[in-house]
């Protein structure tokens, strides 16, 4: 099997590439432009694996995508490249529109062109999986869960751009018969997550003795899933899912922001018994506009129809994640510093990024 992964240097994408190449022996071409959130040492475990190739490119460049598909000739594409909901100093809403909508459109058109040119069994077997989010559904009330029938009602520019890209994917399926599927996953946690994201930010602020901020009374609730379980779910959906269907991915681990902050503090109190209780750092700040009150996933369809189960428990997964951040300051500190200053990490200066360049194709790529 040969899978082209877009956005494979990011948090979820690198976990997926490690799973596909490292555990499943699948050939992967990772197409990623190495944007602000990336420090590709997350790919070091597979960087020298002959099944792993890397192409530094922007998914909005149609000619590059065409060439990558033609030369790598994948059986499937898993599309993750997206601009996430992050620090505004790293870019405005136009970056969501470009990466998430124009980028998905470009990947879809390149993929449709490639798929149209395949013959017989290869054409029948080809799949396109769009990795989307539960943010497209908007907010739940105090009870109930999102199912695959829940209408899209996005609250933020990021969620709206992901919803738009999901609609493009389904329209390509309905109009052209393009063999696409969609996954909608809840919040992920685990190693290598960009330090400005909410969960690492809580951990690292607490470690540094800074205020551990929660919005309002901390009652905003999210479902949490370990990133490795998300990676396993993506491969399961790709291999066993029905074309034209969507699958919710969730951990049955709903926690409020306050609950999460308290759990993090409890673990850090054990790791640093000599420090004052980390709980003293929990500070309430103003509610942000557009924040969904509650999101929770019903993953019954994925569990029953495709026999996927989350393997990591939230308790042990959170503890392991905190320990990873404590042990890997050299990974997150430059990213955190630059995010705070509104600067980007230059991948060219990141030694690890060049080690991942293995795609021997005459298109735009990371040299060396
Ligand atoms: N992190 C989560 O909790 C979560 C949950 C559900 C779904 N998802 C989905 O998973 C995907 C990845 O999320 P993530 O958290 O890993 O984000 P991330 O920011 O860590 O990774 C995104 C990757 O995409 C790349 N990228 C962005 N724009 C690009 C472009 N124009 N061309 C090429 N590469 C580009 C970036 O360089 C980065 O490596 C997204 O589509 C997101 O919607 C994430």
């Amino acid at each position: 099997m040969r899978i082209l992964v877009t956005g494979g240097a990011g948090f979820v994408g690198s976990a997926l590439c490690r799973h596909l190449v490292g555990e499943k022996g699948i050939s992967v071409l990772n197409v990623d432009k190495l944007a602000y959130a990336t420090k590709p040492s997350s790919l070091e475990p597979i960087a020298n694996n002959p099944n792993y190739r890397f192409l530094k490119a922007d998914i909005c460049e149609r000619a590059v995508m065409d060439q990558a598909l033609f030369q790598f000739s994948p059986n499937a594409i898993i599309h993750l490249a997206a601009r996430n909901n992050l620090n505004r100093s790293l870019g405005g809403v136009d970056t969501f529109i470009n990466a998430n909508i124009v980028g998905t459109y470009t990947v879809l058109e390149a993929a449709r062109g490639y798929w149209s040119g395949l013959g017989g069994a290869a054409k029948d077997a080809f799949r396109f999986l769009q990795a989307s989010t539960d943010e497209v559904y908007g907010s739940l009330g105090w009870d109930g869960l999102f199912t695959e029938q829940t209408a899209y009602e996005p609250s933020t520019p990021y969620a709206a751009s992901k919803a738009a890209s999901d609609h493009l994917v389904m329209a390509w399926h309905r109009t052209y018969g393009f063999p696409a599927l969609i996954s909608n996953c809840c919040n992920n946690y685990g190693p290598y997550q960009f330090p400005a994201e909410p969960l690492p930010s809580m951990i690292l602020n607490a470690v540094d003795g800074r205020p551990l901020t929660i919005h309002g009374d901390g009652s905003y609730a999210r479902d949490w899933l370990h990133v490795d379980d998300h990676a396993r779910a993506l491969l399961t959906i790709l291999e066993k899912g029905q074309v034209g269907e969507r699958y919710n991915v969730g951990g049955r681990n709903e926690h409020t922001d306050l609950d999460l902050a308290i759990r993090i503090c409890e673990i850090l109190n054990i790791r640093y018994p000599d420090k004052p209780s980390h709980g003293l750092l929990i500070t309430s700040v103003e509610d942000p506009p557009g924040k969904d009150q509650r999101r929770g996933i019903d993953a019954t369809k994925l569990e029953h129809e495709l026999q996927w189960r989350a393997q990591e428990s939230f308790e042990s997964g959170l503890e392991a994640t905190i320990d990873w951040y404590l042990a890997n300051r050299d990974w997150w500190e430059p990213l955190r510093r630059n995010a705070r200053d509104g600067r980007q990490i230059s991948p060219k200066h990141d030694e690890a990024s060049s080690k991942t360049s293995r795609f021997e194709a005459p298109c735009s790529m990371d040299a060396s």
Side-chain angles (χ1 to χ4, degrees):
M1 198 169 185
R2 298 162 69 80
I3 302 180
L4 188 151
V5 174
T6 70
F11 170 48
V12 180
S14 60
L16 177 67
C17 288
R18 294 193 301 271
H19 178 56
L20 297 178
V21 175
E23 292 167 29
K24 296 290 176 181
I26 291 171
S27 281
V28 165
L29 171 62
N30 171 11
V31 180
D32 195 300
K33 77 173 195 179
L34 300 181
Y36 60 91
T38 24
K39 198 159 178 285
S41 43
S42 54
L43 291 161
E44 261 173 14
I46 54 168
N48 294 319
N49 190 310
N51 283 332
Y52 177 71
R53 296 169 187 198
F54 175 69
L55 171 63
K56 185 180 177 216
D58 192 318
I59 55 164
C60 297
E61 291 180 50
R62 173 67 195 270
V64 176
M65 292 308 298
D66 283 342
Q67 195 171 16
L69 284 162
F70 176 72
Q71 293 188 345
F72 185 62
S73 59
N75 317 105
I77 297 174
I78 305 182
H79 176 44
L80 295 113
R83 174 61 210 266
N84 234 325
N85 200 1
L86 283 168
N87 191 338
R88 287 198 171 234
S89 66
L90 296 174
V93 169
D94 56 332
T95 59
F96 297 132
I97 305 302
N98 279 330
N100 304 358
I101 305 179
V102 179
T104 299
Y105 160 74
T106 310
V107 175
L108 271 174
E109 272 300 79
R112 185 169 73 92
Y114 166 77
W115 166 74
S116 304
L118 295 174
K123 189 170 186 183
D124 292 345
F126 185 80
R127 294 288 180 271
F128 180 98
L129 173 57
Q130 155 94 341
S132 190
T133 161
D134 66 351
E135 293 198 40
V136 296
Y137 294 127
S139 188
L140 289 163
W142 293 112
D143 53 15
L145 294 171
F146 297 130
T147 71
E148 287 79 1
Q149 280 70 49
T150 305
Y152 277 23
E153 218 176 318
S155 307
T156 62
Y158 164 69
S161 68
K162 288 296 292 187
S165 64
D166 289 4
H167 288 317
L168 290 178
V169 170
M170 271 308 151
W172 257 240
H173 168 66
R174 290 182 190 140
T175 305
Y176 305 114
F178 184 64
L181 309 90
I182 297 180
S183 64
N184 294 96
C185 187
C186 65
N187 279 24
N188 288 194
Y189 69 96
Y192 298 111
Q193 187 169 25
F194 189 56
E197 288 284 351
L199 194 141
S201 186
M202 276 191 189
I203 298 171
L204 303 179
N205 281 346
V207 168
D208 286 350
R210 294 169 188 264
L212 200 162
T213 54
I214 53 167
H215 292 124
D217 62 1
S219 65
Y220 294 103
R222 301 287 181 265
D223 186 7
W224 290 92
L225 181 72
H226 195 279
V227 69
D228 291 341
D229 277 319
H230 187 186
R232 288 186 276 268
L234 289 170
L235 183 59
T236 301
I237 295 167
L238 185 78
E239 288 184 327
K240 298 189 193 170
Q242 292 291 318
V243 163
E245 293 286 316
R246 70 173 70 252
Y247 295 88
N248 279 353
V249 186
R252 299 189 189 278
N253 272 313
E254 198 176 312
H255 297 284
T256 64
D257 288 355
L258 182 59
D259 179 33
L260 194 60
I262 291 170
R263 280 167 186 255
I264 289 169
C265 290
E266 284 170 352
I267 295 169
L268 289 174
N269 286 344
I270 295 168
R271 298 293 182 273
Y272 299 104
D274 298 337
K275 283 193 177 180
S277 171
H278 290 84
L280 297 170
L281 299 167
I282 297 176
T283 309
S284 169
V285 296
E286 211 178 310
D287 291 315
K291 182 158 176 167
D292 296 323
Q293 179 60 49
R294 185 177 157 248
R295 295 202 301 265
I297 281 279
D298 180 350
T300 306
K301 179 175 173 182
L302 176 61
E303 292 168 348
H304 285 191
E305 292 184 15
L306 309 188
Q307 289 80 48
W308 171 88
R309 288 282 181 287
Q311 293 178 16
E312 186 67 74
S313 82
F314 187 67
E315 287 67 28
S316 63
L318 183 62
E319 221 172 305
T321 300
I322 290 174
D323 287 338
W324 186 88
Y325 278 97
L326 295 182
N328 289 280
R329 186 175 271 270
D330 57 336
W331 184 85
W332 54 261
E333 200 158 48
L335 288 170
R336 182 165 158 88
R337 198 171 41 243
N338 288 359
R340 220 182 271 139
D341 300 347
R343 287 200 315 263
Q344 299 200 8
I345 279 268
S346 167
K348 286 199 165 36
H349 299 145
D350 183 342
E351 196 197 337
S353 71
S354 58
K355 285 188 193 152
T356 64
S357 298
R358 302 179 59 84
F359 189 56
E360 301 295 327
C363 44
S364 157
M365 73 188 109
D366 215 6
S368 83

